């Protein structure tokens, strides 16, 4: 695999595999080649695949940063700042190699748009950097639509050992795929808020979530997320907004709606330096939530997050 098109180029291939042998054939040489060139290597894939790779790498696995993506990347919005950037930023010079597999067969329909959006945003987040992110896709277990989206979010596709340029590459399509309307159920509890009632919005959200059965520690996380989002609404979303909560299938959902427009598609995906003031609201929400979805349009912005009961 050609992992370098110039020292400063970002490389982002999708690897289509159909069985364990093809998976190992596409990933192990990638890792070993990086180690042979003294390039830092990280692997973030689902646990079963992680065990497969670790077994094949043997002693070489000790030189690789290994992460279970079903845990580290459970929320797709956390992968760029918490997994990919967290590793790449440790090595400011030379090329870095990462295997990242954010989409697996048991990902739900609710989670999938956030996964596609994540894959598209990688191209923006790492543009111009000496980083290669190889993304495996289970071509035997995933729907054809998923593989089509992979061709749209990756400039290069490796299928059956053959590397080709993707004629369907259009990352803006993947970004748009995650920007879908998020209507709340009619049964959701809701409260309108403004600058004077920001504490009321946070208290309301905590009270409702506690009534649903959310435990104390995640209640603290929910309070933090609501405080960040409602403050953003007051500062950047027209000075007011609405917070809504409901529960479904063992999870608490909360969303904040306002009249603002989210202009930066990477908002909440890039870590902030200590000296930078503000800009951490969505980053915080991604860190404490199991899933975050956002919809922004001319009429306003909705941010939804969920937490397991």
């Amino acid at each position: 695999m050609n992992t370098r098109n110039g020292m400063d180029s970002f490389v982002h291939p999708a690897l289509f595999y159909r069985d364990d042998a093809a998976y190992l054939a596409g990933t192990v040489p990638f890792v070993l080649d990086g180690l042979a060139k003294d390039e830092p290597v990280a692997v973030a894939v689902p646990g079963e695949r992680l065990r497969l790779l670790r077994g094949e790498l043997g002693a070489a696995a000790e030189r690789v940063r290994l992460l279970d993506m079903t845990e580290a990347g459970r929320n797709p919005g956390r992968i760029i700042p918490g997994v990919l950037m967290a590793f790449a930023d440790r090595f400011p010079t030379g090329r870095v190699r990462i295997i990242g597999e954010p989409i697996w067969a048991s990902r739900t329909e609710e989670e999938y748009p956030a996964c596609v959006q994540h894959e598209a945003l990688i191209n923006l987040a790492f543009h111009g950097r000496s980083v290669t992110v190889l993304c495996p896709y289970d071509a035997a277990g995933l729907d054809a639509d998923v593989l089509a989206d992979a061709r749209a979010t990756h400039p290069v596709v490796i299928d059956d050992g053959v590397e080709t340029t993707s004629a369907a590459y259009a990352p803006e399509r993947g970004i748009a795929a995650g920007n879908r309307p998020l209507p709340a159920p009619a049964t959701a509890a809701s409260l309108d808020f403004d600058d004077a009632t920001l504490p009321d919005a946070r208290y309301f959200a905590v009270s409702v979530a506690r009534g649903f059965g959310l435990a104390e520690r995640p209640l603290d996380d929910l309070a933090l997320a609501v405080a960040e989002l409602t403050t953003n609404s007051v500062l950047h979303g027209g000075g007011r907004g609405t917070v809504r909560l409901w529960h479904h299938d063992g999870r608490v959902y909360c969303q904040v709606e306002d009249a603002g427009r989210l202009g930066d598609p990477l908002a909440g995906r890039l870590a902030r330096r200590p000296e930078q003031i503000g800009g951490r609201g969505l980053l915080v929400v991604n860190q404490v939530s199991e899933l975050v979805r956002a919809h922004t349009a001319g009429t306003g912005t909705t941010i939804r997050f969920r937490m397991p009961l």
Side-chain angles (χ1 to χ4, degrees):
M1 182 192 309
N2 177 16
T3 59
R4 311 174 73 131
N5 296 329
M7 195 59 186
D8 296 325
S9 63
F10 173 58
V11 185
H12 187 207
L15 169 67
F16 291 178
Y17 67 92
R18 293 170 178 81
D19 54 32
D20 289 353
Y23 191 84
L24 293 174
T27 56
V28 171
F30 175 84
V31 172
L32 295 179
D33 184 56
L35 294 178
K37 294 175 179 177
D38 290 326
E39 296 173 353
V41 181
V43 174
V45 299
E48 180 181 349
R49 296 296 174 191
L50 194 66
R51 289 187 289 273
L52 182 69
L53 264 172
R54 183 187 283 117
E56 189 70 14
L57 289 170
E62 298 178 5
R63 299 169 58 196
V64 179
R65 170 70 166 157
L66 301 173
L67 295 169
D68 186 341
M69 187 66 99
T70 63
E71 298 175 2
R74 187 71 180 87
N75 172 11
R78 197 160 54 221
I79 298 174
I80 290 177
V83 177
L84 307 183
M85 284 287 187
F87 182 74
D89 286 350
R90 292 165 53 191
F91 308 98
T93 60
R95 180 160 293 273
V96 173
R97 296 191 186 207
I98 304 172
I99 299 177
E101 188 170 1
I103 301 175
W104 49 89
S106 60
R107 278 288 200 189
T108 66
E109 183 178 348
E110 181 183 25
E111 295 166 347
Y112 180 67
C115 295
V116 179
Q117 190 175 53
H118 155 75
E119 286 281 58
L121 289 172
I122 289 178
N123 299 290
L124 294 181
F126 285 96
H127 178 70
R129 293 191 59 172
S130 298
V131 176
T132 300
V133 180
L134 175 68
C135 300
Y137 280 78
D138 182 0
L142 297 170
D143 293 341
D145 289 346
V146 176
L147 302 184
D149 286 335
R151 294 184 183 278
T153 55
H154 295 78
V156 173
V157 174
I158 304 163
D159 193 358
D160 198 21
V162 179
E163 180 177 327
T164 59
T165 299
S166 175
Y169 180 58
E172 66 278 2
R173 192 181 102 189
I175 295 172
N179 188 34
R180 301 179 181 180
L182 299 168
T187 56
S190 64
L191 179 76
D192 296 331
F193 63 88
D194 57 19
D195 186 18
T197 56
L198 272 178
D200 296 339
R202 186 169 61 252
Y203 176 79
F204 166 79
V206 169
S207 298
V208 172
R210 181 180 286 117
F212 292 155
L214 195 63
E216 286 303 318
R217 181 171 178 179
L219 272 174
D220 291 339
D221 288 339
L222 180 135
L224 177 61
V226 170
E228 293 289 347
L229 292 178
T230 54
T231 299
N232 278 351
S233 293
V234 167
L235 295 178
H236 310 293
R240 62 184 64 247
T242 301
V243 58
R244 306 184 195 275
L245 291 99
W246 66 97
H247 67 98
H248 174 70
D249 197 23
R251 292 178 171 90
V252 171
Y253 290 79
C254 178
Q255 72 180 37
V256 176
E257 307 158 8
D258 59 46
R261 180 168 177 79
L262 192 62
D264 181 5
L266 284 171
R269 311 280 180 137
L270 300 178
R272 306 283 289 177
R273 295 190 301 274
E275 67 272 16
Q276 291 178 296
I277 299 174
R280 293 176 175 80
L282 270 178
L283 185 67
V284 169
V285 178
N286 269 318
Q287 291 302 314
V288 302
S289 305
E290 182 186 55
L291 178 67
V292 178
R293 297 283 308 280
H295 175 251
T296 188
T299 55
T301 294
T302 298
I303 307 292
R304 174 185 296 180
F305 67 91
R306 80 180 191 200
M307 294 180 169
L309 282 172

